Amino acid sequence: MRKTSTLVIFWALIIIFTFFGCVNNNQTTKKPINITTSPVQYEYDVIVIGAEPEGIAAAIASARNGADTLLIEKRDGLGGLFTYGMLNQLDLGYDKDGNLANQGIFKEWHQIVNNRGAFDIEGAKEAFIHLIGKEKNLTVLLQANVQKVIKNGNQLVGLEVQDQTGLHTYQAKHFIDSTADADIAAMAGVPYFLGQEDIGLKDTRMADTLVLVLKNVDWNRMKMAAENGVLGGAEVYENMAWGFTDVINQYKPIEANTRLRALNIAKQFNNGLVTINALQIFSEDGLSDESRKEAMERGKRESINVLKFLRQELPGFEQAEIALYPPELYIRETRHILAEYQLTINDIWMNRDKWDSIGFGAYPVDLQATSVKGEGGYEKVITRPIQYAIPFRSLVPNEIEGLLVASKAAGYTSLTAGSARTVPIGMTAGQAAGTAAAISIQLHTDFRKMVKDRVPISELQRRLKLQGALLYHFTLSYPFEGEWFDQSIQQLLPYGVIQAGYENDLYVNEPITKIDFIELLSTTIKRSHPELYGQLIEDHQDLINNILQDDVSPYLTRDQMATLLLTIFNHMKVSQSPWEQLMKLKLVDKELEARLSSNREVLRSEGIYMVAFILNRLSNVSSYKVY
């Protein structure tokens, strides 16, 4: 009897422990004690603002390198774009040897979410909490809004923060702005430009997106539809899909300033929900709360129409429903701060290394549309680099001391941000910023001095490599290197007027069409010399139309190009020999004189060279100092 009772008790205990063990395994990660909504102290070595993935990486790196660190976040949780914008697809790049280009803290997080290109959103949040919970030098303050910056001259020394217990002043030796829009840098007086102002496009920025979150999607049925070419077909994998490009033309939006691009689709394993990054929303002001709210409501209404379209046109979505709406929009572009070094599109095109490299970028320069139609009405892939270096100088903002910016708003041109804004690169920059902040304190130096001194930069690079970052110096070739038109490409690239696509192919040996040459010339003038655009282009629209309407051939001949340039730039009667007339006026150089010795079709390489020559004549060649 006693033996039977003992066995009953034994098996009962096994069942109880097994049950509670299973329950515990299904629970979300317990919040570590270093994540709070109440102040713990008011003075730190380093304060990071913004618990976006970039800010989390910065805070962890700072703490790991011995700095007493505070991470301030206005939301009630971690993860920013990943968890509130619900963007759960990663833009991954790979270095010249095929290795994941962004490692270190990003790789640690990526391994926790199973090394996939798409991740479960709840799992991403838990992974961030897990990493933060291991850092004894790190405190996270949630639901805390920075109201004011405190400066001593141009040195940032403190923040006034409204947290859950009141208004408090927090002080630190160094600060890292990892807010998505460089809010702290802007408050402190760091100079910046908005959107694509740096290439002459005022009030122009990439589209916002409301990620669609759907349930009841039949993934296998969708995969079969893709294989059968429905809506142009797609590449479909275990939990990711790209394509269905025909939606661009077939889908008809109901809301103004919205449209659907090709579908980027991801499936979550934990709950089966499917997210789609495709709905583009165009609004004037990405910094205005009112504008964001209006865009969000417009996006919600349009999402219902998108769902209706998918149910009718894409097998696998017949029973789909909207599961929920993300709390926030995916805002691709607002501020770009001016830094000690502005990383340029030529740095990416030419696969450049930097002496102060803190990591790599290797993702294509992918510029989303900026308007429903017209010049900005389509996606542009400028280039697909092998790899390029992110310099520490691009994290050091101009004019304000004691501050680094580690986010998509760092010191990149708007074109460069088409690649460098991606989160894996941002987390690499964040890790470098946190590490640099700790080193600066330990070496009794500041960021402005660091960018001129190889000793602290060497120490920064040493520690980054020691702590898992992929970092080494390299020398690589680049497309069309050494060609006679190489410099011409470099002169035009910074204006965003030529795109080489994923294959880095400019089709230089093919004839250029009239419309392509005129568009290249007019867009270059508009962006480089907007005050002359009306005089040079708009005032000669009749001539341009006459050339375009010549239906003998769509391709531009040498003499047609000469006639166009003579009329635009000299306002004079064109002779029977326009090319000779152009040469006498020195509106063409010896290189093209020799190459275009007969009146034949102009090659794309020659068209690029000619427009770059005109750009030089307008005395508006834009360049950044390169080391």
Side-chain angles (χ1 to χ4, degrees):
M1 183 71 177
R2 179 179 295 176
K3 183 176 181 180
T4 302
S5 299
T6 302
L7 285 172
V8 169
I9 294 170
F10 172 77
W11 286 111
L13 288 171
I14 290 293
I15 291 169
I16 290 169
F17 284 127
T18 301
F19 173 77
F20 282 107
C22 291
V23 170
N24 187 57
N25 286 338
N26 289 328
Q27 288 177 341
T28 57
T29 303
K30 184 178 180 181
K31 186 170 74 172
I33 59 172
N34 60 343
I35 299 179
T36 181
T37 57
S38 302
V40 176
Q41 63 190 60
Y42 299 102
E43 292 187 15
Y44 291 86
D45 292 328
V46 177
I47 293 179
V48 181
I49 309 94
E52 297 283 343
E54 298 92 331
I56 294 171
I60 290 172
S62 173
R64 283 185 184 177
N65 283 277
D68 190 12
T69 305
L70 175 67
L71 173 59
I72 296 175
E73 169 55 45
K74 64 182 179 181
R75 304 177 182 93
D76 61 359
L78 307 173
L81 175 61
F82 282 175
T83 54
Y84 289 81
M86 302 188 76
L87 184 73
N88 66 329
Q89 300 166 52
L90 294 169
D91 296 324
L92 299 174
Y94 298 87
D95 79 343
K96 63 184 181 64
D97 300 316
N99 301 307
L100 186 67
N102 304 106
Q103 298 191 18
I105 293 171
F106 169 73
K107 186 176 180 180
E108 292 177 42
W109 173 85
H110 194 214
Q111 287 175 334
I112 298 172
V113 297
N114 296 318
N115 283 326
R116 293 189 175 96
F119 53 85
D120 292 349
I121 294 168
E122 192 61 35
K125 187 186 302 182
E126 292 179 1
F128 287 132
I129 292 172
H130 171 74
L131 290 172
I132 282 173
K134 297 194 298 182
E135 302 303 328
K136 65 179 182 179
N137 294 326
L138 175 58
T139 301
V140 180
L141 181 63
L142 298 176
Q143 295 177 273
N145 280 282
V146 177
Q147 303 293 312
K148 180 182 177 182
V149 299
I150 302 169
K151 296 190 295 182
N152 181 6
N154 64 347
Q155 178 82 29
L156 184 59
V157 296
L159 305 170
E160 283 191 7
V161 178
Q162 182 69 49
D163 56 43
Q164 293 300 292
T165 62
L167 185 66
H168 299 103
T169 297
Y170 293 84
Q171 295 180 323
K173 297 169 185 173
H174 289 312
F175 298 82
I176 300 171
D177 184 352
S178 286
T179 61
D181 304 309
D183 293 330
I184 306 307
M187 290 171 67
V190 171
Y192 62 86
F193 62 90
L194 292 171
Q196 298 176 11
E197 288 178 344
D198 61 328
I199 57 172
L201 298 177
K202 189 174 175 59
D203 299 324
T204 301
R205 63 185 186 88
M206 287 187 280
D208 304 327
T209 287
L210 179 62
V211 174
L212 275 72
V213 185
L214 306 178
K215 59 183 179 180
N216 303 330
V217 174
D218 187 331
W219 192 265
N220 290 330
R221 185 166 165 76
M222 180 192 72
K223 184 175 182 179
M224 290 177 59
E227 292 170 352
N228 291 329
V230 175
L231 292 175
E235 295 182 49
V236 181
Y237 301 94
E238 184 183 20
N239 74 324
M240 296 188 72
W242 303 274
F244 300 115
T245 54
D246 287 355
V247 302
I248 297 171
N249 295 319
Q250 291 192 28
Y251 178 74
K252 306 302 178 187
I254 58 172
E255 292 288 327
N257 293 317
T258 64
R259 73 171 200 178
L260 203 61
R261 64 161 208 194
L263 309 183
N264 287 359
I265 311 174
K267 181 179 71 173
Q268 298 193 80
F269 287 110
N270 66 335
N271 56 22
L273 294 183
V274 166
T275 59
I276 302 178
N277 171 12
L279 176 57
Q280 296 183 323
I281 305 167
F282 303 95
S283 58
E284 292 183 4
D285 189 354
L287 295 172
S288 161
D289 289 340
E290 183 178 345
S291 179
R292 289 191 185 199
K293 183 178 179 180
E294 185 277 331
M296 172 67 83
E297 293 306 313
R298 196 155 29 102
K300 288 180 179 179
R301 294 192 298 268
E302 192 62 42
S303 294
I304 297 171
N305 194 50
V306 173
L307 176 61
K308 180 180 177 182
F309 172 83
L310 293 176
R311 281 176 168 175
Q312 293 173 347
E313 303 296 335
L314 185 53
F317 285 80
E318 294 91 344
Q319 305 301 318
E321 299 177 38
I322 293 175
L324 56 91
Y325 292 108
E328 297 179 10
L329 292 170
Y330 169 20
I331 306 290
R332 289 183 174 86
E333 182 176 36
T334 54
R335 296 187 183 99
H336 302 276
I337 65 112
L338 298 182
E340 280 284 320
Y341 183 86
Q342 213 74 18
L343 192 68
T344 72
I345 189 64
N346 280 328
D347 288 324
I348 298 181
W349 173 258
M350 299 172 74
N351 298 304
R352 281 177 175 152
D353 192 13
K354 299 293 178 185
W355 71 270
D356 58 337
S357 171
I358 49 85
F360 303 143
Y363 193 74
V365 180
D366 179 7
L367 299 175
Q368 296 296 303
T370 58
S371 60
V372 172
K373 54 186 177 180
E375 182 182 335
Y378 58 95
E379 181 180 352
K380 303 177 183 71
V381 176
I382 304 293
T383 180
R384 184 177 188 171
I386 300 172
Q387 68 187 59
Y388 59 93
I390 304 292
F392 176 66
R393 287 167 291 163
S394 292
L395 311 184
V396 182
N398 289 346
E399 299 188 16
I400 300 300
E401 307 302 324
L403 176 66
L404 295 175
V405 176
S407 72
K408 70 176 188 286
Y412 314 133
T413 67
S414 62
L415 297 179
T416 304
S419 170
R421 68 183 174 86
T422 55
V423 173
I425 296 173
M427 289 184 71
T428 291
Q431 181 174 354
T435 306
I439 289 173
S440 175
I441 294 168
Q442 292 155 9
L443 296 183
H444 305 289
T445 188
D446 60 51
F447 302 136
R448 201 77 59 194
K449 291 177 181 175
M450 284 182 70
V451 301
K452 298 176 175 65
D453 189 345
R454 291 182 182 268
V455 173
I457 294 298
S458 294
E459 175 61 14
L460 171 60
Q461 292 167 334
R462 185 190 71 81
R463 288 203 203 177
L464 288 173
K465 288 188 281 188
L466 192 65
Q467 295 170 17
L470 183 66
L471 188 59
Y472 54 83
H473 288 295
F474 60 90
T475 301
L476 294 170
S477 61
Y478 60 90
F480 309 108
E481 182 176 3
E483 294 284 355
W484 64 275
F485 51 87
D486 180 4
Q487 289 295 317
S488 300
I489 294 172
Q490 294 177 45
Q491 288 168 358
L492 296 184
L493 272 172
Y495 296 99
V497 293
I498 51 178
Q499 300 95 42
Y502 290 110
E503 303 303 322
N504 291 324
D505 195 347
L506 293 172
Y507 304 98
V508 293
N509 293 319
E510 295 183 7
I512 191 168
T513 64
K514 298 167 190 173
I515 192 167
D516 282 351
F517 179 80
I518 290 170
E519 182 179 348
L520 178 62
L521 176 65
S522 61
T523 305
T524 299
I525 293 172
K526 185 177 183 180
R527 296 184 181 184
S528 67
H529 236 133
E531 72 280 5
L532 295 178
Y533 179 74
Q535 173 188 343
L536 297 178
I537 301 299
E538 291 180 342
D539 290 354
H540 298 93
Q541 199 60 53
D542 289 343
L543 169 68
I544 292 171
N545 290 337
N546 287 338
I547 292 176
L548 290 175
Q549 289 167 7
D550 177 7
D551 58 2
V552 174
S553 170
Y555 299 109
L556 183 75
T557 66
R558 182 198 70 177
D559 286 356
Q560 285 174 331
M561 180 172 70
T563 299
L564 176 68
L565 296 175
L566 284 168
T567 306
I568 287 176
F569 291 102
N570 279 276
H571 309 284
M572 61 187 297
K573 185 176 180 180
V574 179
S575 71
Q576 294 296 314
S577 302
W579 185 249
E580 286 73 15
Q581 193 176 0
L582 198 71
M583 289 191 294
K584 288 179 182 178
L585 292 170
K586 299 189 183 302
L587 286 176
V588 63
D589 72 354
K590 297 294 184 182
E591 182 72 46
L592 276 189
E593 279 187 35
R595 290 183 177 276
L596 289 170
S597 58
S598 62
N599 184 28
R600 59 168 174 79
E601 291 174 344
V602 177
L603 300 180
R604 293 186 66 85
S605 57
E606 294 161 344
I608 289 170
Y609 188 93
M610 185 74 249
V611 173
F613 178 80
I614 294 298
L615 182 62
N616 282 328
R617 289 296 299 268
L618 292 174
S619 302
N620 195 42
V621 178
S622 176
S623 63
Y624 292 95
K625 192 174 182 181
V626 175
Y627 296 97

